[in-house]
Amino acid sequence: MAMNGTITTWFKDKGFGFIKDENGDNRYFHVIKVANPDLIKKDAAVTFEPTTNSKGLSAYAVKVVPESKYIYIAGERLKLTAIKSFLVYHEEVPADTRIDKENGVLSVGVLMGSIRPKSETKPGEMRSLKKLAITTFQGTTLIFSEDEIDVDATVKLLGK
């Protein structure tokens, strides 16, 4: 019966490591028992067949689950391989523009921002809004602002 787990320790030079299984137990595994050893890395998700050896719990028929080829940004599903380029830039916007509440994607920061007393914002005051523009190979450009997404965290995902 196959189980799921996560690689918690990996000794590349020794060719073995440990997987924490779905019951929270640590299982020994060896690189020769891994179907796709090039994907082995700490914190990678795996499926495997549980077994026991002389040393205790172990795993064989280990498969590293490839990382998702999709990322979700503000509800848009983007295929990582379809992204041609991305750019982070700042745009000056009126300080009193708040994103449309209908969007439903609100970060805590934005919520905190909306709770601040309005008196701080003078009419005509500008604020610098960080934006992320993503261009796909299909030639579509999607633009997200930091009011909708965590720009830095998203860029980390794109940087893979």
Side-chain angles (χ1 to χ4, degrees), residues 89 91 131-134 141-145 148-149:
Y89 63 99
E91 189 179 347
K131 293 194 166 186
L132 171 65
I134 295 174
T141 299
L142 299 155
I143 294 180
F144 303 98
S145 78
E148 302 170 276
I149 62 167

PDB file of all heavy atoms in Angstrom, residues 89 91 131-134 141-145 148-149:
ATOM      1  N   TYR A  89       7.638  46.349 -11.071  1.00  0.00           N
ATOM      2  CA  TYR A  89       7.841  47.789 -11.210  1.00  0.00           C
ATOM      3  C   TYR A  89       6.927  48.515 -10.235  1.00  0.00           C
ATOM      4  O   TYR A  89       6.059  47.907  -9.603  1.00  0.00           O
ATOM      5  CB  TYR A  89       7.569  48.237 -12.656  1.00  0.00           C
ATOM      6  CG  TYR A  89       6.145  48.017 -13.120  1.00  0.00           C
ATOM      7  CD1 TYR A  89       5.225  49.063 -13.116  1.00  0.00           C
ATOM      8  CD2 TYR A  89       5.719  46.753 -13.543  1.00  0.00           C
ATOM      9  CE1 TYR A  89       3.919  48.857 -13.529  1.00  0.00           C
ATOM     10  CE2 TYR A  89       4.411  46.546 -13.962  1.00  0.00           C
ATOM     11  CZ  TYR A  89       3.516  47.598 -13.953  1.00  0.00           C
ATOM     12  OH  TYR A  89       2.224  47.400 -14.353  1.00  0.00           O
ATOM     13  N   GLU A  91       4.289  51.814  -9.630  1.00  0.00           N
ATOM     14  CA  GLU A  91       3.466  52.786 -10.332  1.00  0.00           C
ATOM     15  C   GLU A  91       2.865  53.714  -9.296  1.00  0.00           C
ATOM     16  O   GLU A  91       2.434  53.273  -8.228  1.00  0.00           O
ATOM     17  CB  GLU A  91       2.359  52.029 -11.069  1.00  0.00           C
ATOM     18  CG  GLU A  91       1.572  52.906 -12.015  1.00  0.00           C
ATOM     19  CD  GLU A  91       0.500  52.109 -12.753  1.00  0.00           C
ATOM     20  OE1 GLU A  91       0.522  50.871 -12.711  1.00  0.00           O
ATOM     21  OE2 GLU A  91      -0.363  52.744 -13.349  1.00  0.00           O
ATOM     22  N   LYS A 131       3.957  46.505  -8.595  1.00  0.00           N
ATOM     23  CA  LYS A 131       3.186  45.666  -9.504  1.00  0.00           C
ATOM     24  C   LYS A 131       4.081  44.609 -10.138  1.00  0.00           C
ATOM     25  O   LYS A 131       5.287  44.806 -10.252  1.00  0.00           O
ATOM     26  CB  LYS A 131       2.542  46.507 -10.605  1.00  0.00           C
ATOM     27  CG  LYS A 131       1.468  47.439 -10.064  1.00  0.00           C
ATOM     28  CD  LYS A 131       0.624  47.986 -11.164  1.00  0.00           C
ATOM     29  CE  LYS A 131      -0.640  48.632 -10.603  1.00  0.00           C
ATOM     30  NZ  LYS A 131      -1.537  49.041 -11.684  1.00  0.00           N
ATOM     31  N   LEU A 132       3.453  43.528 -10.547  1.00  0.00           N
ATOM     32  CA  LEU A 132       4.166  42.446 -11.209  1.00  0.00           C
ATOM     33  C   LEU A 132       3.491  42.220 -12.550  1.00  0.00           C
ATOM     34  O   LEU A 132       2.285  42.017 -12.613  1.00  0.00           O
ATOM     35  CB  LEU A 132       4.074  41.170 -10.362  1.00  0.00           C
ATOM     36  CG  LEU A 132       4.572  39.869 -10.999  1.00  0.00           C
ATOM     37  CD1 LEU A 132       6.070  39.925 -11.250  1.00  0.00           C
ATOM     38  CD2 LEU A 132       4.238  38.683 -10.106  1.00  0.00           C
ATOM     39  N   ALA A 133       4.272  42.316 -13.628  1.00  0.00           N
ATOM     40  CA  ALA A 133       3.739  42.052 -14.963  1.00  0.00           C
ATOM     41  C   ALA A 133       4.344  40.747 -15.448  1.00  0.00           C
ATOM     42  O   ALA A 133       5.559  40.559 -15.384  1.00  0.00           O
ATOM     43  CB  ALA A 133       4.112  43.182 -15.913  1.00  0.00           C
ATOM     44  N   ILE A 134       3.487  39.838 -15.888  1.00  0.00           N
ATOM     45  CA  ILE A 134       3.954  38.544 -16.385  1.00  0.00           C
ATOM     46  C   ILE A 134       3.555  38.434 -17.847  1.00  0.00           C
ATOM     47  O   ILE A 134       2.396  38.631 -18.193  1.00  0.00           O
ATOM     48  CB  ILE A 134       3.306  37.396 -15.589  1.00  0.00           C
ATOM     49  CG1 ILE A 134       3.764  37.447 -14.137  1.00  0.00           C
ATOM     50  CG2 ILE A 134       3.643  36.039 -16.219  1.00  0.00           C
ATOM     51  CD1 ILE A 134       3.081  36.442 -13.245  1.00  0.00           C
ATOM     52  N   THR A 141      -0.137  39.601 -21.424  1.00  0.00           N
ATOM     53  CA  THR A 141       0.529  40.175 -20.260  1.00  0.00           C
ATOM     54  C   THR A 141      -0.492  40.288 -19.140  1.00  0.00           C
ATOM     55  O   THR A 141      -1.574  40.845 -19.337  1.00  0.00           O
ATOM     56  CB  THR A 141       1.118  41.562 -20.583  1.00  0.00           C
ATOM     57  OG1 THR A 141       2.069  41.388 -21.629  1.00  0.00           O
ATOM     58  CG2 THR A 141       1.822  42.152 -19.373  1.00  0.00           C
ATOM     59  N   LEU A 142      -0.147  39.714 -17.999  1.00  0.00           N
ATOM     60  CA  LEU A 142      -1.031  39.782 -16.832  1.00  0.00           C
ATOM     61  C   LEU A 142      -0.357  40.703 -15.830  1.00  0.00           C
ATOM     62  O   LEU A 142       0.848  40.607 -15.609  1.00  0.00           O
ATOM     63  CB  LEU A 142      -1.178  38.397 -16.217  1.00  0.00           C
ATOM     64  CG  LEU A 142      -1.778  37.360 -17.157  1.00  0.00           C
ATOM     65  CD1 LEU A 142      -1.346  35.961 -16.742  1.00  0.00           C
ATOM     66  CD2 LEU A 142      -3.296  37.448 -17.130  1.00  0.00           C
ATOM     67  N   ILE A 143      -1.149  41.583 -15.242  1.00  0.00           N
ATOM     68  CA  ILE A 143      -0.567  42.513 -14.273  1.00  0.00           C
ATOM     69  C   ILE A 143      -1.271  42.344 -12.934  1.00  0.00           C
ATOM     70  O   ILE A 143      -2.496  42.310 -12.863  1.00  0.00           O
ATOM     71  CB  ILE A 143      -0.681  43.968 -14.783  1.00  0.00           C
ATOM     72  CG1 ILE A 143       0.191  44.102 -16.031  1.00  0.00           C
ATOM     73  CG2 ILE A 143      -0.240  44.951 -13.696  1.00  0.00           C
ATOM     74  CD1 ILE A 143       0.192  45.453 -16.668  1.00  0.00           C
ATOM     75  N   PHE A 144      -0.466  42.167 -11.896  1.00  0.00           N
ATOM     76  CA  PHE A 144      -0.998  42.017 -10.540  1.00  0.00           C
ATOM     77  C   PHE A 144      -0.363  43.095  -9.680  1.00  0.00           C
ATOM     78  O   PHE A 144       0.813  43.407  -9.862  1.00  0.00           O
ATOM     79  CB  PHE A 144      -0.624  40.644  -9.978  1.00  0.00           C
ATOM     80  CG  PHE A 144      -1.103  39.502 -10.825  1.00  0.00           C
ATOM     81  CD1 PHE A 144      -0.245  38.893 -11.731  1.00  0.00           C
ATOM     82  CD2 PHE A 144      -2.411  39.050 -10.741  1.00  0.00           C
ATOM     83  CE1 PHE A 144      -0.677  37.839 -12.527  1.00  0.00           C
ATOM     84  CE2 PHE A 144      -2.852  37.999 -11.535  1.00  0.00           C
ATOM     85  CZ  PHE A 144      -1.995  37.394 -12.421  1.00  0.00           C
ATOM     86  N   SER A 145      -1.120  43.630  -8.736  1.00  0.00           N
ATOM     87  CA  SER A 145      -0.532  44.635  -7.855  1.00  0.00           C
ATOM     88  C   SER A 145      -0.360  44.031  -6.465  1.00  0.00           C
ATOM     89  O   SER A 145      -0.960  43.013  -6.140  1.00  0.00           O
ATOM     90  CB  SER A 145      -1.439  45.863  -7.763  1.00  0.00           C
ATOM     91  OG  SER A 145      -2.513  45.577  -6.880  1.00  0.00           O
ATOM     92  N   GLU A 148      -3.184  42.836  -4.440  1.00  0.00           N
ATOM     93  CA  GLU A 148      -3.827  41.546  -4.704  1.00  0.00           C
ATOM     94  C   GLU A 148      -2.973  40.368  -4.288  1.00  0.00           C
ATOM     95  O   GLU A 148      -3.482  39.336  -3.897  1.00  0.00           O
ATOM     96  CB  GLU A 148      -4.065  41.379  -6.214  1.00  0.00           C
ATOM     97  CG  GLU A 148      -4.898  42.440  -6.873  1.00  0.00           C
ATOM     98  CD  GLU A 148      -4.822  42.272  -8.387  1.00  0.00           C
ATOM     99  OE1 GLU A 148      -3.868  42.777  -8.989  1.00  0.00           O
ATOM    100  OE2 GLU A 148      -5.714  41.601  -8.937  1.00  0.00           O
ATOM    101  N   ILE A 149      -1.653  40.506  -4.477  1.00  0.00           N
ATOM    102  CA  ILE A 149      -0.772  39.368  -4.255  1.00  0.00           C
ATOM    103  C   ILE A 149       0.443  39.801  -3.457  1.00  0.00           C
ATOM    104  O   ILE A 149       0.730  40.982  -3.344  1.00  0.00           O
ATOM    105  CB  ILE A 149      -0.263  38.770  -5.601  1.00  0.00           C
ATOM    106  CG1 ILE A 149       0.574  39.816  -6.379  1.00  0.00           C
ATOM    107  CG2 ILE A 149      -1.418  38.247  -6.438  1.00  0.00           C
ATOM    108  CD1 ILE A 149       1.368  39.233  -7.528  1.00  0.00           C
TER     109      ILE A 149
END
